[in-house]
Amino acid sequence: MSARTRRLTTAQALVRFLSAQYTERDGVRRRLIAGTWGIFGHGNVAGVGQALVEYADVMPYHQGRNEQSMVHAAVGYARQLNRLSAQAVTTSIGPGATNLVTGAALATINRLPVLLLPGDYFASHAPDPLLQQLEHPVEADVSVNDTLRPVSRYFDRITRPEALIPSALQAMRVLADPAETGAVTLALPQDVQAEAYDWPEEFFAERVWHVRRPVPDPVELTAAVEAIRSAERPLIVAGGGVHHSEAEDALKAFVEATGIPVASTQAGKGSLRHDHPADLGGIGHTGTAVSDALARTADLVIGVGTRYTDFTTASGTLFRNPDVRFLNLNITGFDAHKLAARTLVCDARSGLERLAEGLAGHHVSEAYEAEYRLGKERWDEVVEAAYRADDDSAVPTQTQVLGALDAAVGDDDVVINAAGSLPGDLHKLWRSRSPRQYHLEYGYSCMGYEIPAGIGVQQAAPGAPVWALVGDGTYLMMPTEIVTAVQEGLPLNIVLIQNHGYASIGGLSQETGGERFGTAYRFRAADGTFTGAPLPVDLAANAASLGMDVLRAKTVRELREALAAARASARPTCVYVETDPAPTAPPAEAWWDVPVAETATREAAVEARERYDRQVADRRRHL
């Protein structure tokens, strides 16, 4: 070996390379790849697995139980650290690799970085067909890992050791780029992983990837300032980009200088504290009454770091002012141009700071400010009513569970959720006290995300109490990472709400003519119908069998006591509560488009279609 090369296997070289990669923003440096999750099988056990043993001193390893949930944990980690640090996930060939697809889609849709290292078939094709190989009759270079192409921001199959050098650098570039980041996949044929090569020493040198804060174009900035100055009813829609950019203080200063109110998407909630007079809470289908009322009359909607999903726009029916225009501040031109908006393509923090400079002395009218403050006060009364429990000995409702948790947490707690009826209740009702307290994965709304993501958040913020809120349906999707929390010694808290079925989809099914078919956990009778008796399933016992401490709460009083005990515990703890199934959350303030059968014989479907036709007529294209 010469002085300028080092002979290592491809897998060893990759692990050494990853251990020397850093990000830097605002003078703060972090490990880009802070650790590697892995489940080993043929295809990675003798390659990446051996390399992780070889370099255990520089690359932390975390053992997972399900490949999809390992990606969720890595995503939770990256989000908690504002995308400045990420984790890698290594898997075997076959089902281990294809189990990554859902997690990869979630990461890319939410613009969150994760590095995927699935094993792949022999590049030499010497032992074809090998165990778990998909044989394609006309494309010999296809493998099951090609399913990861459409859900990855960068993909390569490393068929020669030396091909790793440019590909690894491209992978790091994408992971560290706030405008391009998402899932990155390097598929690793198992024979190439174990093959030795003389690597240039420069490949292993420390490398710092600067996470840039692009500033607005002067022409765009001038136009944006003029648009805001001429608006009478401007409204800010704060998205996840506010958090990723760490722009919360800049937003607060901008709002206090201009008086422009803020409504938030699921990803942007917490951009302002809930008790700030300009914070109106969630917007859209699961938004607050005050946010949605202002959205309907706004003449300028200022999107900051949002990608405008259908929940935010109420499927194109929310922004009803005939003269409404949009101004979108976003780090990607792709998102900035949505809704035919004026664009400000830049970092959220730098953009808000320069807008504030250009708007010096400008403020909305006193009447507009008084209007939205009154609306906020009225909504706060709605929240209090939903949270209030007049009888401590009663079975709690779901909103009373949130009220009890609200009373138990502090500013540093993190509340995690992703799917079911909870996201809607949380978006309307939760009172965020800090930028990272509200952790909703609602880009992919993936059942099973909460528990593994909680592990990732706990790794990223070791001192923060972390709460994974799950219903019975979500819990049954992916409870296995409880074992990982126990193994890693992480004091993850789970609030497990039992309502014997899919509450959210049950309600949607009823609304759209599906008559709640297939949405409850009930016994099936001989005629195929479902009886009223719930299944004798004890999810609390299941959590206990996986190593958690379990606290069962049957009343509001017991729930409050259990939550306090869980927060004080140094052990992974599950608070199990069976809720009163009667809906107690405020109804939706805006529509969501779920197409209903255009022809049907059943009365429920016919009536649902009539409602649908009335509502869809309000949709408009913003051009």
Side-chain angles (χ1 to χ4, degrees):
M1 182 177 71
S2 74
R4 301 190 62 187
T5 63
R6 192 184 311 186
R7 191 162 183 80
L8 300 173
T9 69
T10 303
Q12 292 165 353
L14 176 60
V15 172
R16 286 297 306 184
F17 169 83
L18 295 177
S19 70
Q21 306 303 304
Y22 294 85
T23 63
E24 177 275 324
R25 186 170 73 180
D26 302 331
V28 178
R29 195 167 86 154
R30 296 180 181 272
R31 280 278 295 265
L32 176 50
I33 304 299
T36 298
W37 288 90
I39 297 175
F40 297 113
H42 89 100
N44 71 336
V45 65
V48 174
Q50 189 281 327
L52 289 170
V53 173
E54 189 92 9
Y55 298 118
D57 58 329
V58 294
M59 179 56 69
Y61 166 71
H62 309 291
Q63 183 179 18
R65 269 74 198 173
N66 176 282
E67 291 85 0
Q68 177 182 322
S69 65
M70 292 193 298
V71 185
H72 293 338
V75 166
Y77 177 92
R79 175 169 169 172
Q80 183 67 20
L81 294 176
N82 297 317
R83 307 191 297 193
L84 298 174
S85 185
Q87 294 176 322
V89 178
T90 178
T91 72
S92 64
I93 287 171
T98 52
N99 279 352
L100 294 173
V101 174
T102 296
L106 181 148
T108 296
I109 286 170
N110 286 285
R111 281 54 162 183
L112 293 166
V114 61
L115 177 61
L116 308 179
L117 305 173
D120 212 326
Y121 312 151
F122 281 68
S124 68
H125 294 280
D128 288 6
L130 64 150
L131 178 65
Q132 299 176 329
Q133 180 171 345
L134 171 70
E135 293 183 87
H136 197 289
V138 295
E139 295 180 280
D141 63 340
V142 168
S143 85
V144 296
N145 287 341
D146 288 286
T147 59
L148 287 160
R149 288 182 184 270
V151 292
S152 297
R153 293 293 290 166
Y154 180 81
F155 178 99
D156 195 13
R157 180 175 287 112
I158 310 301
T159 56
R160 290 291 308 144
E162 60 268 32
L164 177 66
I165 295 174
S167 199
L169 291 169
Q170 287 293 337
M172 299 302 104
R173 177 191 65 79
V174 173
L175 289 171
D177 188 334
E180 292 194 35
T181 196
V184 167
T185 300
L186 298 181
L188 303 171
Q190 61 175 315
D191 53 343
V192 177
Q193 288 183 48
E195 188 175 345
Y197 181 74
D198 292 329
W199 302 88
E201 282 288 348
E202 293 86 350
F203 186 56
F204 307 114
E206 282 193 5
R207 194 178 303 267
V208 180
W209 300 85
H210 175 66
V211 181
R212 53 187 171 273
R213 290 190 180 278
V215 298
D217 175 83
V219 173
E220 288 191 338
L221 180 62
T222 299
V225 168
E226 177 56 32
I228 296 173
R229 283 188 178 275
S230 61
E232 295 182 1
R233 299 181 64 81
L235 173 67
I236 294 170
V237 175
V242 175
H243 294 310
H244 299 325
S245 175
E246 298 176 331
E248 297 90 357
D249 288 343
L251 177 64
K252 182 173 181 284
F254 178 83
V255 166
E256 291 177 351
T258 64
I260 300 175
V262 176
S264 56
T265 69
Q266 287 279 18
K269 195 171 170 75
S271 295
L272 288 181
R273 268 187 65 104
H274 75 93
D275 52 3
H276 191 285
D279 179 66
L280 309 183
I283 189 171
H285 176 62
T286 53
T288 68
V290 58
S291 287
D292 287 352
L294 261 66
R296 292 185 179 97
T297 60
D299 57 358
L300 180 68
V301 178
I302 306 168
V304 183
T306 178
R307 58 193 188 91
Y308 287 111
T309 69
D310 60 342
F311 259 59
T312 298
T313 67
S315 300
T317 65
L318 184 60
F319 304 110
R320 297 185 181 182
N321 187 326
D323 299 320
V324 68
R325 293 294 181 265
F326 295 84
L327 167 64
N328 291 338
L329 192 166
N330 204 292
I331 202 164
T332 71
F334 176 81
D335 289 316
H337 279 275
K338 289 176 177 175
L339 301 175
R342 291 184 181 274
T343 60
L344 206 58
V345 181
C346 60
D347 169 76
R349 193 170 85 183
S350 65
L352 286 168
E353 289 171 346
R354 281 158 180 79
L355 278 175
E357 293 169 2
L359 290 164
H362 176 75
H363 200 279
V364 300
S365 69
E366 292 182 2
Y368 184 52
E369 193 168 25
E371 176 189 343
Y372 72 68
R373 289 193 178 198
L374 178 60
K376 176 181 173 63
E377 290 175 8
R378 289 172 175 169
W379 186 258
D380 287 342
E381 293 171 1
V382 173
V383 175
E384 287 293 340
Y387 280 179
R388 186 166 54 245
D390 296 325
D391 183 359
D392 282 0
S393 64
V395 174
T397 65
Q398 183 161 287
T399 58
Q400 288 169 348
V401 171
L402 298 183
L405 183 61
D406 174 82
V409 302
D411 288 9
D412 294 332
D413 292 57
V414 181
V415 175
I416 302 173
N417 188 243
S421 58
L422 280 166
D425 292 358
L426 286 161
H427 198 207
K428 293 187 192 84
L429 303 174
W430 188 259
R431 301 187 281 210
S432 298
R433 306 175 195 182
S434 61
R436 278 294 165 211
Q437 182 174 83
Y438 188 86
H439 184 124
L440 259 284
E441 188 289 294
Y442 217 60
Y444 210 40
S445 187
C446 186
M447 295 178 73
Y449 170 82
E450 295 90 343
I451 294 173
I455 292 171
V457 170
Q458 198 91 72
Q459 289 175 329
V466 177
W467 303 85
L469 272 60
V470 295
D472 50 334
T474 294
Y475 178 85
L476 287 169
M477 289 280 185
M478 201 166 290
T480 51
E481 296 310 313
I482 287 174
V483 178
T484 303
V486 173
Q487 182 179 36
E488 298 256 340
L490 299 173
L492 174 68
N493 297 311
I494 296 175
V495 179
L496 175 51
I497 299 173
Q498 171 65 280
N499 54 25
H500 302 289
Y502 302 119
S504 175
I505 294 301
L508 182 62
S509 173
Q510 183 173 338
E511 175 68 21
T512 57
E515 303 178 50
R516 293 186 177 266
F517 178 76
T519 62
Y521 295 151
R522 305 287 178 177
F523 281 105
R524 183 186 291 274
D527 63 358
T529 61
F530 293 89
T531 70
L535 299 177
V537 176
D538 191 341
L539 300 182
N542 177 262
S545 75
L546 297 176
M548 293 202 96
D549 292 344
V550 175
L551 304 172
R552 296 176 184 258
K554 295 181 179 180
T555 67
V556 172
R557 182 185 301 106
E558 291 176 1
L559 174 63
R560 290 172 180 155
E561 293 170 352
L563 292 171
R567 192 172 187 273
S569 176
R571 287 256 313 145
T573 304
C574 173
V575 176
Y576 175 86
V577 56
E578 189 161 354
T579 56
D580 182 337
T584 53
E589 295 290 337
W591 185 59
W592 182 45
D593 189 351
V594 177
V596 176
E598 193 168 2
T599 63
T601 58
R602 297 181 69 84
E603 182 179 353
V606 172
E607 292 178 354
R609 181 66 196 196
E610 292 173 353
R611 291 194 300 272
Y612 179 83
D613 288 338
R614 290 194 300 270
Q615 291 162 327
V616 78
D618 289 332
R619 178 151 53 212
R620 61 180 291 194
R621 300 287 185 183
H622 298 284
L623 298 172

